[in-house]
Amino acid sequence: MMNSRDVVLQTTSQVTVFIIMTFSGFLFLAGHNNPGGGFIGGLMSAAALVLLALAYDLKTMRQALPVNFHYVTATGLLIAIFSGMGSFVFGAPFMSQAYDYFTLPLLGEVELATAMIFDLGVYLAVVGVTMTIILSIGEDR
Amino acid sequence: MSMLHGVILLPFAAAAIVPLFYKLFKKVHTGWFVLPVPLLAFLYFIAELPSISKGEAIQATVEWIPSLGVDITAYLDGLGLLFALLITGIGALVVLYSIYYLSKEKEAIHRFYMYLLLFMGAMLGVVLSDNLIVLYGFWELTSLSSFLLIAFWYNRDHSRYGALKSMLITVFGGFAMLTGFILLHTMTGTFSLREIIDQAGLLSSHELFAPAMILVLLGAFTKSAQFPFHIWLPDAMEAPTPVSAYLHSATMVKAGLYIVARFGVVFGGDALWFWIVSLTGLVTMLWGSYTAVRNTDLKAILAYSTISQLGLIMSLLGLGSASFYTGGADTAIYTAAIMTAVFHLINHATFKGALFMVVGIVDHETGTRDIRKLGGLMAFMPVTFTFALIGTLSMAGLPPFNGFLSKEMFFTALLEVSTMDFFNVQSWALLFPVVAWIASVFTFVYCLIILFRTFTGPFPKEELGEPPHEASLGLLIPPGILAALVIVFGLFPNLLTYTLIEPAMKAILPTLDIVEAKKISFWHGFNTELKMTLGVIALGVVLFLTKRYWMRIYGYLPGNLSFSKIYDFLLKGSQRFSRAITDTYMTGSLRHYMIYIFAFLVLVGGYFLLRINPFERHGNIVFAEITVYEAILTGVLILAAAAVPFAKSRMAAIVLVGTVGYMVTLFFIVFRAPDLALTQMIVETVSVALFLLCFYHLPKLQRERSSSRMRIFKIILSGSVGLLVTMIALAVSNHQLFDSISDYFVEESYRSAGGKNIVNVILVDFRGFDTFLEIMVLAAASLAIYSLIKVRHRTEQGEQEEGRS
């Protein structure tokens, strides 16, 4: 944003962004049993994108990630509400969550909970919201 | 539904259709379609006359809101019939008159007739309703339709002023009356007038008796233009003359008299009622006649004269209420007062209606109503002059007209009542006849003024131009009928005595066993009353002839202080006052509003904290030990927070706020809330980053300039808010009354939701709905920020483009 020729920053951020992204994914997936979850995960990935924007500039960040963040927010909200409405199919009240254990290839026995779908909605919504705010303020000249 | 309901409904139904006729039949004056309505109703009431005269009554009920005891009960007895005949009879004449008075090309007559019919129906509803709430509804409808009629020529300032004034005053009285009705309901448990009258004897000892009485009287006095609420009536003269003739002389202003007559049986027999009603009536009578002489506008004179005559009837009703006190014995002289009131009510409707129509004709033919510009019309308008002569002489109380009879009876009533030996009357005995006599003198004077200033003397050609000619036949018929009635009632006074007046008296005095109307005789000897009348004539003539020498007294009384000026002052004053109040506290400064909010919080919260004294221990509460970490963190937190207000630059303030945030993060860690700590850390980082983003665009940090007094006040206020919140927190932690529900989450988190992170399970599973709405809030906030910034851009661009072009 401020200077686009900071080689050290740009080089380190090329690496760091992926680490942060991974960490954000980890936080999101670990949320059910360990500290973390959709909210923190979403904020963390937004932080990675902000780092990208700081190291290069907003334009570059936009090119690297050509996404309209309004859609991200909307997708998150839709996932959240549809995951809640999914319980209607089974005749249960709105937002009844369920979980079970499955044996998947490569991963072995895994616990899958419908709450994760909802958390995914939260994750996307938080990413979309944070990025919208930062971008609209940042691009304001 | 009965016939009676149908008759009340008829004008409303007609009001709905009349504009249609106006559009469909352009060639015919709409008034012709309206005329059958009052005529039919009048014929109906005439047809009921024989049975009502025998003392029967018609009652019919339609249920409206039975659960609240509100039914549309129509009740027709002698008093109701008297008023109904006045309303429909004079209504028919006024409609006929207005057909010739209002031009169908120039005026919006469809609106005129719609309002007039609305008024007619409302007025019928008032006098024929038994249920108080329904009566009140119709009562307000008369105020409303009168408002519309006064402002019929709405592009004149005076019309709007008069309409607003009458609206404000009568609606004020109407509300008071509604309150009185509700108090009556509290006392008796019913809204039905009949049932209240049945309990009348028991009420006088009730503590709400006097308030209810005064409130009901307020309604009656404002509507009937009694002192000091009379001021709206002269300003209501801006209405078209048919309206003035109908509403402001014959019908609406008598609604208050109707209320006083109706409720006499409930409240009468009490000294308070007697004194309030009769004194108000006397004062109004005197003041009205005194002020009428001063005016130069014919309609204004008639308005004050109406006020005066209404006061006369009101005082008679008050005097007559003594008959409730005496009960059976010796009531004849007091019932005679009631009889006089009823008789004069009829008489006044006839001659005042005629006079208004005459004034309307004069206005119509010459273009002015100012007596200073008028004169010598007798030769050009002989018929109009004849009607005016009959009307004014009747009003002045001269034989052989009906006004003479009612005035004689009035004097009789006053002389006899002043011999009363209860209600403390003796000490005031002379007051009644003397005041009435003076008022009669002034009445005589203004009657002469109306008559002679308008019709005699030289014709002022330079003022009026071409001499006017006699009005058309249509304009002359209605006042002709009324003037004929004036003479008929004057020469054959007993025509109505037993058919209409006696039933009305019985309706006003329903609890008395024997109520009989006396035979009205034209000549009852050379007695005190006749001498009083002769005195009135003599002094009146002298005063009229010497008028210009004593007119100066109006400069001293009322002088500059008329009641209209007081009204204007109050109205403007209240506007200015409320404006001043609003201006003082609605400063537009956010700081001030914050001060109000916080001061309110501190006052109310502090009051309750002091009152309930919550610092006793409840339950088994053990406070945790304070560790070293917590102490250190608290110290840093306090330091950082306390430094924020002293920060010289914005950068320092941002950093200090950030410090507070990170300290809170550390607190979460110490208190073992990893999710919160993570979230807090990231949110704090993001918000500090946002602060820094905005940093460049913000103006330099400015010290708030305020007086040291204000600063001290603010310090005290913020200190007390902090203190209050701390106290509340301490007080709350003293009251662990129930076990926490967190045990359930701890147990069920893994078993039924399959997660070990309890916080996350609560967020997405147990309380997922909250989370869902919170991300909605976030989304809304982001969209708001986005559109705020983008929309500002767009308007700026738009302005620039406009500037270029």
Side-chain angles (χ1 to χ4, degrees):
Chain A
M1 213 168 358
M2 286 160 233
N3 59 22
S4 48
R5 292 202 186 148
D6 195 331
V7 183
V8 178
L9 181 63
Q10 287 179 352
T11 319
T12 41
S13 63
Q14 277 171 10
V15 183
T16 332
V17 164
F18 287 102
I19 299 175
I20 299 176
M21 277 300 203
T22 318
F23 181 55
S24 131
F26 165 75
L27 278 176
F28 166 63
L29 290 172
H32 216 49
N33 292 313
N34 291 304
F39 198 83
I40 304 164
L43 278 175
M44 200 56 102
S45 63
L49 296 178
V50 170
L51 177 64
L52 209 59
L54 282 173
Y56 295 88
D57 55 16
L58 287 170
K59 224 183 213 169
T60 322
M61 197 228 84
R62 285 266 197 204
Q63 277 168 353
L65 208 72
V67 176
N68 185 341
F69 286 101
H70 294 318
Y71 291 156
V72 179
T73 313
T75 315
L77 290 178
L78 283 177
I79 290 177
I81 197 164
F82 280 119
S83 82
M85 283 164 72
S87 56
F88 291 155
V89 179
F90 303 97
F94 184 59
M95 275 197 180
S96 305
Q97 311 287 13
Y99 73 97
D100 209 344
Y101 295 93
F102 299 93
T103 315
L104 297 179
L106 288 177
L107 295 170
E109 194 185 26
V110 172
E111 179 208 349
L112 287 182
T114 51
M116 286 300 277
I117 307 173
F118 179 73
D119 227 9
L120 180 67
V122 175
Y123 180 94
L124 290 177
V126 168
V127 173
V129 164
T130 320
M131 288 319 289
T132 308
I133 294 175
I134 289 175
L135 289 181
S136 44
I137 293 176
E139 285 172 347
D140 179 35
R141 283 289 151 232
Chain B
M1 278 292 282
S2 64
M3 266 301 266
L4 202 52
H5 284 110
V7 172
I8 299 175
L9 206 61
L10 182 66
F12 293 111
I17 319 173
V18 155
L20 213 68
F21 280 102
Y22 175 75
K23 296 277 176 207
L24 286 181
F25 305 98
K26 288 266 182 203
K27 296 226 170 107
V28 190
H29 196 287
T30 315
W32 292 113
F33 300 114
V34 178
L35 192 57
V37 174
L39 269 183
L40 278 176
F42 186 71
L43 290 178
Y44 166 79
F45 287 119
I46 287 284
E48 295 294 343
L49 192 58
S51 60
I52 303 289
S53 297
K54 286 193 208 105
E56 291 163 22
I58 303 173
Q59 185 164 0
T61 304
V62 173
E63 281 199 343
W64 185 23
I65 316 173
S67 58
L68 296 179
V70 179
D71 297 313
I72 304 175
T73 303
Y75 184 85
L76 184 68
D77 62 354
L79 187 64
L81 183 68
L82 167 71
F83 273 92
L85 283 174
L86 279 181
I87 293 161
T88 50
I90 296 188
L93 293 178
V94 162
V95 170
L96 181 62
Y97 181 80
S98 66
I99 291 174
Y100 292 93
Y101 190 83
L102 292 172
S103 147
K104 73 170 186 284
E105 283 85 21
K106 289 182 203 147
E107 310 282 2
I109 47 171
H110 56 305
R111 283 197 286 114
F112 178 81
Y113 285 112
M114 208 172 85
Y115 300 158
L116 199 72
L117 284 168
L118 271 183
F119 170 78
M120 197 181 289
M123 200 63 208
L124 279 178
V126 166
V127 298
L128 297 179
S129 286
D130 179 59
N131 193 289
L132 293 185
I133 295 298
V134 177
L135 194 158
Y136 171 75
F138 282 122
W139 181 272
E140 290 298 4
L141 201 52
T142 62
S143 295
L144 184 69
S145 47
S146 157
F147 170 79
L148 291 169
L149 282 167
I150 295 171
F152 179 64
W153 289 312
Y154 54 83
N155 35 18
R156 298 184 190 172
D157 279 346
H158 287 297
S159 299
R160 295 199 303 269
Y161 173 79
L164 186 66
K165 196 174 186 178
S166 74
M167 183 78 157
L168 284 176
I169 292 175
T170 52
V171 167
F172 158 74
F175 276 144
M177 202 172 76
L178 177 65
T179 323
F181 287 169
I182 292 169
L183 290 186
L184 273 175
H185 182 263
T186 318
M187 286 192 277
T188 60
T190 174
F191 278 124
S192 164
L193 200 52
R194 285 319 106 200
E195 290 168 29
I196 290 173
I197 289 172
D198 287 342
Q199 306 180 33
L202 308 169
L203 291 180
S204 57
S205 54
H206 201 286
E207 56 179 353
L208 293 177
F209 181 74
M213 174 204 291
I214 289 167
L215 287 167
V216 170
L217 277 182
L218 261 181
F221 286 171
T222 49
K223 198 75 154 187
S224 271
Q226 298 294 296
F227 188 88
F229 307 112
H230 61 276
I231 46 172
W232 65 268
L233 191 59
D235 284 305
M237 290 302 130
E238 294 298 328
T241 304
V243 173
S244 309
Y246 188 38
L247 273 68
H248 305 129
S249 72
T251 53
M252 188 178 85
V253 287
K254 292 196 169 117
L257 298 176
Y258 170 80
I259 292 293
V260 171
R262 264 284 183 243
F263 283 87
V265 59
V266 180
F267 296 117
D270 195 78
L272 193 61
W273 173 271
F274 174 85
W275 280 111
I276 293 181
V277 176
S278 40
L279 273 187
T280 310
L282 278 180
V283 171
T284 311
M285 183 187 177
L286 184 61
W287 186 256
S289 58
Y290 171 73
T291 320
V293 178
R294 181 172 66 147
N295 281 285
T296 53
D297 178 34
L298 279 174
K299 271 175 97 175
I301 299 176
L302 287 181
Y304 279 107
S305 129
T306 304
I307 292 168
S308 161
Q309 304 277 329
L310 293 170
L312 187 158
I313 301 172
M314 189 66 86
S315 67
L316 281 170
L317 288 174
L319 299 178
S321 75
S323 53
F324 292 110
Y325 180 81
T326 54
D330 200 27
T331 53
I333 55 172
Y334 309 117
T335 54
I338 297 284
M339 178 179 172
T340 314
V342 175
F343 188 51
H344 193 69
L345 194 118
I346 302 170
N347 293 343
H348 177 249
T350 53
F351 65 68
K352 193 51 68 66
L355 280 176
F356 266 109
M357 291 176 184
V358 163
V359 168
I361 292 172
V362 170
D363 190 12
H364 206 256
E365 301 301 329
T366 64
T368 180
R369 299 193 308 250
D370 196 327
I371 52 170
R372 288 168 301 192
K373 293 181 188 161
L374 289 167
L377 292 180
M378 186 162 52
F380 308 111
M381 307 165 82
V383 185
T384 315
F385 169 69
T386 315
F387 296 157
L389 183 77
I390 294 168
T392 46
L393 293 189
S394 173
M395 183 156 72
L398 290 189
F401 306 109
N402 57 7
F404 170 70
L405 298 169
S406 43
K407 178 146 295 178
E408 294 291 286
M409 289 159 70
F410 174 55
F411 284 151
T412 315
L414 287 174
L415 288 169
E416 283 183 349
V417 165
S418 58
T419 62
M420 263 165 68
D421 52 359
F422 50 92
F423 289 165
N424 229 352
V425 177
Q426 303 98 316
S427 37
W428 300 86
L430 265 179
L431 177 87
F432 291 93
V434 168
V435 167
W437 189 77
I438 299 173
S440 299
V441 172
F442 280 112
T443 306
F444 195 83
V445 174
Y446 69 69
C447 287
L448 293 185
I449 291 176
I450 294 175
L451 196 60
F452 290 111
R453 286 295 161 86
T454 314
F455 291 100
T456 61
F459 178 73
K461 201 163 181 183
E462 65 278 11
E463 293 268 6
L464 297 176
E466 283 306 299
H469 50 80
E470 188 57 87
S472 64
L473 191 62
L475 275 179
L476 287 174
I477 287 175
I481 293 174
L482 288 173
L485 284 178
V486 168
I487 299 177
V488 168
F489 292 155
L491 296 179
F492 309 99
N494 290 312
L495 205 61
L496 295 177
T497 309
Y498 300 104
T499 49
L500 199 55
I501 297 179
E502 197 177 77
M505 284 169 70
K506 281 186 177 148
I508 296 174
L509 308 164
T511 51
L512 301 184
D513 298 332
I514 320 152
V515 178
E516 278 177 349
K518 277 192 297 187
K519 200 168 177 352
I520 305 169
S521 49
F522 198 82
W523 174 256
H524 26 259
F526 194 72
N527 50 14
T528 327
E529 293 90 318
L530 195 61
K531 285 178 207 157
M532 282 168 82
T533 303
L534 289 177
V536 166
I537 296 171
L539 188 61
V541 170
V542 171
L543 280 180
F544 174 66
L545 293 176
T546 60
K547 184 166 162 272
R548 74 190 118 113
Y549 301 110
W550 55 271
M551 278 304 270
R552 250 177 292 143
I553 62 160
Y554 288 101
Y556 304 104
L557 182 80
N560 282 325
L561 203 71
S562 76
F563 285 94
S564 274
K565 286 204 177 118
I566 294 176
Y567 161 85
D568 288 338
F569 175 77
L570 282 178
L571 196 65
K572 285 215 185 83
S574 65
Q575 281 170 358
R576 231 178 292 136
F577 181 66
S578 49
R579 170 150 225 150
I581 286 189
T582 314
D583 283 350
T584 358
Y585 77 94
M586 284 284 181
T587 55
S589 158
L590 215 53
R591 286 197 181 110
H592 290 162
Y593 301 157
M594 298 299 276
I595 287 177
Y596 307 147
I597 294 170
F598 283 129
F600 182 79
L601 177 76
V602 167
L603 289 177
V604 174
Y607 173 72
F608 276 100
L609 220 50
L610 288 177
R611 253 197 76 177
I612 58 178
N613 186 25
F615 293 101
E616 293 165 56
R617 285 287 183 112
H618 288 278
N620 233 353
I621 298 150
V622 185
F623 286 118
E625 294 282 319
I626 301 172
T627 64
V628 186
Y629 294 123
E630 288 158 19
I632 295 171
L633 282 178
T634 313
V636 177
L637 191 69
I638 290 173
L639 273 179
V644 174
F646 299 100
K648 285 267 187 290
S649 74
R650 182 164 270 121
M651 188 64 142
I654 293 172
V655 170
L656 283 168
V657 170
T659 315
V660 171
Y662 289 119
M663 285 304 126
V664 172
T665 311
L666 289 179
F667 259 112
F668 286 142
I669 293 171
V670 171
F671 289 131
R672 279 169 290 167
D675 293 270
L676 285 184
L678 270 171
T679 316
Q680 170 70 23
M681 190 169 68
I682 303 174
V683 166
E684 194 57 44
T685 314
V686 171
S687 50
V688 168
L690 278 178
F691 273 133
L692 292 174
L693 258 179
C694 304
F695 186 78
Y696 281 110
H697 309 292
L698 290 174
K700 275 203 116 180
L701 193 63
Q702 275 181 337
R703 287 278 127 203
E704 185 204 341
R705 282 192 200 87
S706 55
S707 66
S708 56
R709 226 150 145 223
M710 197 63 192
R711 209 173 298 153
I712 291 170
F713 174 72
K714 281 179 184 167
I715 291 171
I716 292 173
L717 187 64
S718 6
S720 36
V721 170
L723 191 68
L724 179 80
V725 174
T726 315
M727 298 288 257
I728 290 174
L730 287 175
V732 167
S733 60
N734 258 331
H735 288 251
Q736 183 105 44
L737 298 180
F738 306 101
D739 290 336
S740 166
I741 56 164
S742 56
D743 295 338
Y744 170 80
F745 293 127
V746 174
E747 278 170 26
E748 295 294 314
S749 171
Y750 192 69
R751 207 146 49 100
S752 49
K756 290 177 195 146
N757 182 349
I758 301 173
V759 175
N760 188 264
V761 168
I762 291 174
L763 283 180
V764 298
D765 195 333
F766 292 131
R767 298 276 181 83
F769 199 58
D770 291 357
T771 313
F772 173 64
L773 292 178
E774 274 157 23
I775 57 176
M776 291 282 265
V777 169
L778 285 178
S782 77
L783 284 182
I785 290 173
Y786 177 79
S787 43
L788 229 116
I789 288 170
K790 298 290 167 184
V791 168
R792 195 201 67 195
H793 263 274
R794 213 165 294 152
T795 43
E796 272 173 6
Q797 278 167 6
E799 274 162 13
Q800 278 168 7
E801 274 160 26
E802 270 173 33
R804 246 175 269 139
S805 66

